Each structure stands twice: as structure tokens, then as C-alpha cells.
Amino acid sequence: MNQKPNESAVDGLPLNTIIDGDCIDVMNTLPENSVDLIFADPPYNLQLKSDLHRPDNSKVDAVDDHWDQFDSFAAYDSFTRNWLKAARRILKPNGAIWVIGSYHNIFRVGTALQDAGYWILNDVVWRKSNPMPNFRGKRFTNAHETMIWASKAEGSKYTFNYEALKAMNEGIQMRSDWVLPICNGHERLKDENGDKAHPTQKPESLLHRVLLGTTNPGDVVLDPFFGTGTTGAVAKMLGRDFIGIEREEAYRKVAQKRIDNLRKYDSDALAVSLSKRAEPRVAFGQLVERGMLRPGEVLTSPRGKEAKVRADGTLVSGEAAGSIHQVGAVLENAPSCNGWSYWNFRRDGKTVSIDLLRQQIRSEMRQRPN
Amino acid sequence: MNQKPNESAVDGLPLNTIIDGDCIDVMNTLPENSVDLIFADPPYNLQLKSDLHRPDNSKVDAVDDHWDQFDSFAAYDSFTRNWLKAARRILKPNGAIWVIGSYHNIFRVGTALQDAGYWILNDVVWRKSNPMPNFRGKRFTNAHETMIWASKAEGSKYTFNYEALKAMNEGIQMRSDWVLPICNGHERLKDENGDKAHPTQKPESLLHRVLLGTTNPGDVVLDPFFGTGTTGAVAKMLGRDFIGIEREEAYRKVAQKRIDNLRKYDSDALAVSLSKRAEPRVAFGQLVERGMLRPGEVLTSPRGKEAKVRADGTLVSGEAAGSIHQVGAVLENAPSCNGWSYWNFRRDGKTVSIDLLRQQIRSEMRQRPN
DNA sequence: TCAACAACTGAATCGGCAC
DNA sequence: CGTGCCGATTCAGTTGTTG
């Protein structure tokens, strides 16, 4: 394990380990408010009544492992509500959860999430570019799975790397439907017999988008149904810490080997496009103080409105006076206005945005903090 | 009304009419086992906290109608279970139901459907080609809605026109995700003031696919939340009988006029919107997510410039950071640059264009349209 | 008449921080 | 806790106007 525990993490967390046990029992041993993100791929409660066969009579290796049978919806609901409750206790107040499922279980999960006090932020559809066809031709090809993204509570300040996701999507904001291939080829882990090691291994691309978009480097990501450890593998590569919980020894062994053989990406490759919100705040008055703008100087709007700069960093325009934002909003008769992008000044015969001056100050601050 | 009652229909059904009243009360007056399909677009129970403005300061005309207000999840669940129970009674034994919703309500609906004894056949995702963006950059663009398709009971011999749907989809099995534009333009009904007649009018293309795929000509289709009557309009065009239930007089009037006036024009418009397909867009970030390129990997230009790939699909090269196009333009001191043809990577000792990777993804997408 | 441009719109649980 | 204020934030279209 070449990944070190993170400074900001809560003491006593078993970081970057795979824990043997039932996920509810294990989560109940962890400290409350200690985990940044939970990614959960719970059993699907598949309702296959008999073995499914392809048209050529070869048998489909369906999900029929013993852990995936539930007597009734009631049993599944009880199981779901219990693990969601344990998960919510260990989540930090501003933490969030992702749960993935199909129509067999996702409606139970979504209802339980809402009832437990989680606040749904989006449902995200993983649209598979290469799904298994519907061999019998009796239904639509089941070509997607659904993920629910929810914060611990209404009003939580969840992490969302908007600009990074937008950059990843050619400059257009990321939508709630993601087109990604299913996990196969070299990525699909095999056991000693060459069979697939886990029936529902998720693709790393899916976790890449989840972790890049809704965690920061150094965050703690817990996966209560770790399986073959896709969550841990991607977390390690992206410089996040993980905690995995898995009951089946065979899965734990495959996952541990998989993760040990991975390296973390260079940290400069993990830097991500930042939102302007993360930039330090600059008061308009500083431009006046520093002489970048003089009291009495006239600012102009895109549509030719004018305002005069006062010595205290406020503007006057006719009856209106106040901050660059307030005066802009009054002149435009708008509920609000970003004065930084609204106002311009003249230099050497050219019209320049006042935001350019703010950027100068910010770049000075970066070189010499304080 | 130029549509005649169907021979096979149960006697006493008010075919091809719009009934005034609460849907539960009205359904309870209809004979049991009498309807082939129910399409329901119930209130979504949106919980809007305050006004939302676009970045240009214009106000979003949100759904704030009284019929969408519920006090709690419990109240919404009670409402849902009641109308689903009434609906199930009037469904024929081999009948089926479609319910459409968003993450606000669809999990409650799905759970209630399962609990009431319906048998879910698929969840189908309507991927909107032109959704409203997320103006605040706080979440993923809400770019889809979910429909649940369920039979009256497990083992029902529901209708599924597999070949018709396959033919509609260029010879490939119809998948569980449908790309269709939202309802706007001439199809969007307006009131006397020129405002939208209904806040959530569904596109005819959506109902066309539902009715063509899961009913036969002459079947009876009931819509308990008829609104402006998209279900009735498409049913009439496709030779199915409809029963609409709607409480609001204004909606009933608009719907009646719409259905009475159906012209050939409508089916032309339908054909156009059905043939619309989203152009496959490939973002450079997808190559990184999918592991085709690794964060930290170095790309080279034809003249030997280098840049490093970051986890969010942007590049860094010295001071320059941004998209493959932006960084290429900076390094060449050019106004613009096609990053796809500019950048190369190394594999097995050979230099390869990144465009080759894009072509791989494109070919995957082309094999499975829609 | 047409092209170019401006204005408008859609089921949305859409801030954050200092005081 | 509330109040006040800074200041960040949009995609794919359709309709209407201008030249």
C-alpha cells in the first residue's frame, strides 16, 4: 500500500483497507461524521425465476449468488433501511452518497433514502454503450442503470466540481445521463478458472466521474459493498482515501491484489479546473486605494450607462449610489448584477473591463500571499 | 369526434371523451377489467424554495401550480397508492401501465407500484435532447425523466410489439433509453394570452413510441391526468380509443379542441421529431475516464511541444492550462487549434494521434444508435 | 426573400459568507 | 439563528426583428 493516510481525516479510521464483515456491523464500529463520500452498489434483488437462456440455449451466467435472494420486498426494504441508517451516521454533515441500482431495487432504495432524511441531488442514468441484448424480445433492452446522488441532509454543502466536469465534457455542463461502456476486456477481473471474478463489476470510468465530480483529493470514500474494489482502485489512482467493506473472502483477495498493483497519478495531474468561487475575494475599493482607478473616473456599461467612482469604492449614477453591483442592478432594473463583469473603464483609448484589474490583484496575491 | 367506439371494447365505456372529475372518483365508476393501457403523468411533487433566475437575470417560469403541492412524502404516497389501486382495478388482466416522473416522485411511484402488485417490466429513460440547463452550476443538468412500464401482475401476457419497435429503430432492438426533444415550437399549445397552456405538456413523439410499442389498434388507453391531451391526440392518430380524466376545465377545453382539430400536419411533425437523433459528441475527457489515456500522460505536438493530461480531461503545458484546443492554440500562438488533430501520444514505441481514440468511441456509438 | 441577429424559453427540490 | 450583500451562473432550440 503506497498511499498514506490523509492529514484532515478523522483519527482512528482504517484508511485504505478492506474490512471483513457485514457492512452494517462494520459501519457501526466507525466514528460518526467521519466519511466524505459513500459509494454503494448494493445487491439488486433480481427476480429471475428460472435460469435464463440465450436463443442458442447457452446459459447466461446470471446474478444468482446466494447473497442476492430476498424473500420479499419487506425483507429488502428492511435491509436497505438498516444499511442506509448506518451509512448516514458515519457521513460527515456535508458528506454525500451515491447508490447504484436497476429497476428491481432502485425505487425501494430511493424511497428509503428520502425517508431516512437524505436529500436527493440528482438521479443519474448510466447509459451503457454495449448492454446485453434482450434475448427473448419481450421487453426493451435493459440498457441503463440508475444512480442516486444525495447529500446527508437538505442544505448540506456537498462537494460538486462543476468546472472540472464541464471541462471533461468539452466545455458543456455535465448532464444527468452518462454514456459509458460496461466493464469488460482487460478491465474485467477473472478468477483462477478464467471466469469473471464478480457478477456485477462496475467500470472504472463510472467511478472516475463520480469521484472526480463529487470529492476532493484527500477525501475519505467508503464502499460498503466493496466487491472487487473498483471504488478503491479509482480512489487510489485519484488520490482519495478509501475504506472497503466486503463479506466474501474471494472478493477481498481479488480486490486487494488489484489495488496493490496500482499507482496514484501525479499530483499535478490530479489538479482540476477550479470554479471562480474558489478565487480569493477582492473588494472594488482596493482598485481605488491602489490608484488603479481614480475617484471621479467614469465607468461605462455595455449599453452606454455611466457611473462615477467615489473615493470609498462606491459608484454614483444619477439618483443611484452604492456598490458596483447595486448601481448596475438599479440601472438595468434587474434583481441583481455582477458589477465586475458589467462595468468598464477607458485606458489609452480602449474600453477595458474592471475585472481585468481584479485579475491583476489576484495574480499578485498568488505570488505573494498576504 | 370522428372516431368510433371499438368492437372489442367493454360496453359502457365512455370512449374518446374527456371526463371532468377527480381521477380516483371517475376510475371507480368505470367497469373493472376494461382498459388495455393506462398512461399516467401524475404531479411530480416538486418542492421549489424560491425563484430561480437565468444568468441573464430573466426569471424561470417554474411549475408552481396548486395541483403539484403536497404537504409531505406521506401525503404524496397516500395519493399515489390510492390512484394506483383504482387504476389497477379497471385494467384488463393482461393490461399494462406507464407512469412518468422525475427523481422527486418516481421512487415513491415505483415502490407503490410494486407494493400494489404491479409487475415492473422496464424502466425507460427519456433522455431530453434539449433540456433546461442547471443555471447555478450546482448539480448535473436534469436531462432526463423516468418512465416505469409495468403489467397488472406477474405473469400477465402484456402487449409488446417487438418488431415494430425494432423497425422504428433502424433494425436494432429498442433500448430502455429514448432520445427525444422536449415539447416546444408549434406542438406546444398556447392559451389566449400566448402563454403555454399547460406547464408540463409531453411531446407526441414520446406517446407515439409508448402506444405503438405496447398497444394494438382498437385498444382502450386511459389517461387519469389528461392535461392538454397528448395521450388522446396520439391515440386518435394511431387508431386507439382513449379515455381522458381531467379536473381543470381550462385543460379540458384545450385538449378537446386539439383532438377535434387533428390534421395530417400533426403526423408530419411527429415523423420529423422521431427521426431526430443526437449527434455523437465525444469529449476528450472521455478518453481519460475510460483509461485510454492516463492522467499524467504526456501528449506531443507535431513540432515537439509537450503537455500533460489532467484527470478532468484538461491539459497543462507550462503556464497554459485548458482544453486540448486551448492549450494547442496557446503553444502555437494561434487564434485557434483543433486539438484532435494536433496532439499525439505514445503507444508501444509509436506516435499515435489522439483522434484515433475518438474514432474508437465513435464507432462504438454508431453501432448502437438511439 | 432571406440571412443574420436578438429575444425568449423549458417539470428546477439551483449560494455563501460575514456579521 | 436571521439579515444583508457580494457576485457567480446556461444549452438547444424557436420566434420575431432588422437590414
Side-chain angles (χ1 to χ4, degrees), chain B residues 104-118:
Chain B
H104 309 86
N105 71 323
I106 198 66
F107 305 116
R108 325 297 302 189
V109 169
T111 297
L113 274 165
Q114 292 178 313
D115 289 347
Y118 292 92

mmCIF file of all heavy atoms in Angstrom, chain B residues 104-118:
data_model
loop_
_atom_site.group_PDB
_atom_site.id
_atom_site.type_symbol
_atom_site.label_atom_id
_atom_site.label_comp_id
_atom_site.label_asym_id
_atom_site.label_seq_id
_atom_site.Cartn_x
_atom_site.Cartn_y
_atom_site.Cartn_z
ATOM 1 N N HIS B 104 -37.995 13.463 -8.043
ATOM 2 C CA HIS B 104 -38.768 13.946 -6.904
ATOM 3 C C HIS B 104 -39.835 12.948 -6.482
ATOM 4 O O HIS B 104 -40.162 12.833 -5.310
ATOM 5 C CB HIS B 104 -39.432 15.269 -7.265
ATOM 6 C CG HIS B 104 -38.480 16.267 -7.844
ATOM 7 N ND1 HIS B 104 -38.178 16.305 -9.185
ATOM 8 C CD2 HIS B 104 -37.751 17.217 -7.258
ATOM 9 C CE1 HIS B 104 -37.293 17.271 -9.390
ATOM 10 N NE2 HIS B 104 -37.015 17.825 -8.244
ATOM 11 N N ASN B 105 -40.402 12.252 -7.468
ATOM 12 C CA ASN B 105 -41.542 11.389 -7.157
ATOM 13 C C ASN B 105 -41.406 9.965 -7.641
ATOM 14 O O ASN B 105 -42.115 9.076 -7.186
ATOM 15 C CB ASN B 105 -42.820 11.977 -7.775
ATOM 16 C CG ASN B 105 -42.840 11.857 -9.298
ATOM 17 O OD1 ASN B 105 -41.804 11.999 -9.948
ATOM 18 N ND2 ASN B 105 -44.002 11.597 -9.852
ATOM 19 N N ILE B 106 -40.493 9.703 -8.580
ATOM 20 C CA ILE B 106 -40.560 8.413 -9.283
ATOM 21 C C ILE B 106 -40.228 7.241 -8.370
ATOM 22 O O ILE B 106 -40.726 6.131 -8.575
ATOM 23 C CB ILE B 106 -39.662 8.432 -10.543
ATOM 24 C CG1 ILE B 106 -40.059 7.305 -11.501
ATOM 25 C CG2 ILE B 106 -38.165 8.301 -10.161
ATOM 26 C CD1 ILE B 106 -41.425 7.458 -12.110
ATOM 27 N N PHE B 107 -39.415 7.487 -7.320
ATOM 28 C CA PHE B 107 -39.086 6.378 -6.419
ATOM 29 C C PHE B 107 -40.292 6.018 -5.557
ATOM 30 O O PHE B 107 -40.528 4.849 -5.258
ATOM 31 C CB PHE B 107 -37.864 6.736 -5.575
ATOM 32 C CG PHE B 107 -36.681 7.139 -6.418
ATOM 33 C CD1 PHE B 107 -36.159 8.424 -6.364
ATOM 34 C CD2 PHE B 107 -36.118 6.239 -7.304
ATOM 35 C CE1 PHE B 107 -35.082 8.793 -7.169
ATOM 36 C CE2 PHE B 107 -35.046 6.596 -8.109
ATOM 37 C CZ PHE B 107 -34.531 7.876 -8.032
ATOM 38 N N ARG B 108 -41.058 7.047 -5.172
ATOM 39 C CA ARG B 108 -42.301 6.764 -4.443
ATOM 40 C C ARG B 108 -43.260 5.975 -5.334
ATOM 41 O O ARG B 108 -43.911 5.030 -4.891
ATOM 42 C CB ARG B 108 -43.007 8.053 -3.987
ATOM 43 C CG ARG B 108 -42.124 9.219 -3.577
ATOM 44 C CD ARG B 108 -41.249 8.984 -2.399
ATOM 45 N NE ARG B 108 -41.917 8.611 -1.179
ATOM 46 C CZ ARG B 108 -41.278 8.546 -0.010
ATOM 47 N NH1 ARG B 108 -39.986 8.878 0.077
ATOM 48 N NH2 ARG B 108 -41.908 8.152 1.070
ATOM 49 N N VAL B 109 -43.360 6.396 -6.591
ATOM 50 C CA VAL B 109 -44.281 5.753 -7.526
ATOM 51 C C VAL B 109 -43.868 4.296 -7.772
ATOM 52 O O VAL B 109 -44.699 3.389 -7.734
ATOM 53 C CB VAL B 109 -44.322 6.528 -8.864
ATOM 54 C CG1 VAL B 109 -45.055 5.723 -9.935
ATOM 55 C CG2 VAL B 109 -44.984 7.887 -8.676
ATOM 56 N N GLY B 110 -42.577 4.080 -8.001
ATOM 57 C CA GLY B 110 -42.102 2.726 -8.275
ATOM 58 C C GLY B 110 -42.349 1.795 -7.108
ATOM 59 O O GLY B 110 -42.795 0.658 -7.279
ATOM 60 N N THR B 111 -42.072 2.274 -5.911
ATOM 61 C CA THR B 111 -42.321 1.465 -4.719
ATOM 62 C C THR B 111 -43.809 1.149 -4.582
ATOM 63 O O THR B 111 -44.197 0.000 -4.322
ATOM 64 C CB THR B 111 -41.822 2.220 -3.472
ATOM 65 O OG1 THR B 111 -40.405 2.404 -3.588
ATOM 66 C CG2 THR B 111 -42.126 1.439 -2.204
ATOM 67 N N ALA B 112 -44.647 2.165 -4.804
ATOM 68 C CA ALA B 112 -46.094 1.951 -4.681
ATOM 69 C C ALA B 112 -46.599 0.968 -5.731
ATOM 70 O O ALA B 112 -47.476 0.135 -5.451
ATOM 71 C CB ALA B 112 -46.833 3.287 -4.798
ATOM 72 N N LEU B 113 -46.054 1.051 -6.939
ATOM 73 C CA LEU B 113 -46.438 0.109 -7.997
ATOM 74 C C LEU B 113 -46.133 -1.327 -7.577
ATOM 75 O O LEU B 113 -46.984 -2.221 -7.688
ATOM 76 C CB LEU B 113 -45.655 0.414 -9.278
ATOM 77 C CG LEU B 113 -46.204 1.455 -10.245
ATOM 78 C CD1 LEU B 113 -45.129 1.873 -11.229
ATOM 79 C CD2 LEU B 113 -47.415 0.915 -10.997
ATOM 80 N N GLN B 114 -44.912 -1.535 -7.101
ATOM 81 C CA GLN B 114 -44.529 -2.891 -6.690
ATOM 82 C C GLN B 114 -45.396 -3.372 -5.539
ATOM 83 O O GLN B 114 -45.862 -4.508 -5.528
ATOM 84 C CB GLN B 114 -43.044 -2.908 -6.308
ATOM 85 C CG GLN B 114 -42.118 -2.695 -7.498
ATOM 86 C CD GLN B 114 -40.645 -2.676 -7.101
ATOM 87 O OE1 GLN B 114 -40.267 -2.006 -6.142
ATOM 88 N NE2 GLN B 114 -39.817 -3.386 -7.845
ATOM 89 N N ASP B 115 -45.634 -2.489 -4.572
ATOM 90 C CA ASP B 115 -46.428 -2.886 -3.403
ATOM 91 C C ASP B 115 -47.872 -3.197 -3.783
ATOM 92 O O ASP B 115 -48.532 -4.005 -3.133
ATOM 93 C CB ASP B 115 -46.404 -1.771 -2.344
ATOM 94 C CG ASP B 115 -45.036 -1.651 -1.682
ATOM 95 O OD1 ASP B 115 -44.211 -2.566 -1.855
ATOM 96 O OD2 ASP B 115 -44.796 -0.632 -1.011
ATOM 97 N N ALA B 116 -48.367 -2.536 -4.838
ATOM 98 C CA ALA B 116 -49.763 -2.749 -5.236
ATOM 99 C C ALA B 116 -49.936 -4.015 -6.064
ATOM 100 O O ALA B 116 -51.061 -4.354 -6.443
ATOM 101 C CB ALA B 116 -50.270 -1.533 -6.016
ATOM 102 N N GLY B 117 -48.829 -4.677 -6.392
ATOM 103 C CA GLY B 117 -48.949 -5.926 -7.130
ATOM 104 C C GLY B 117 -48.654 -5.820 -8.611
ATOM 105 O O GLY B 117 -48.667 -6.823 -9.323
ATOM 106 N N TYR B 118 -48.435 -4.608 -9.092
ATOM 107 C CA TYR B 118 -47.995 -4.473 -10.485
ATOM 108 C C TYR B 118 -46.624 -5.154 -10.622
ATOM 109 O O TYR B 118 -45.870 -5.277 -9.645
ATOM 110 C CB TYR B 118 -47.834 -2.998 -10.864
ATOM 111 C CG TYR B 118 -49.104 -2.184 -10.943
ATOM 112 C CD1 TYR B 118 -49.573 -1.475 -9.838
ATOM 113 C CD2 TYR B 118 -49.799 -2.068 -12.145
ATOM 114 C CE1 TYR B 118 -50.707 -0.682 -9.921
ATOM 115 C CE2 TYR B 118 -50.936 -1.270 -12.234
ATOM 116 C CZ TYR B 118 -51.383 -0.581 -11.119
ATOM 117 O OH TYR B 118 -52.500 0.210 -11.204
#
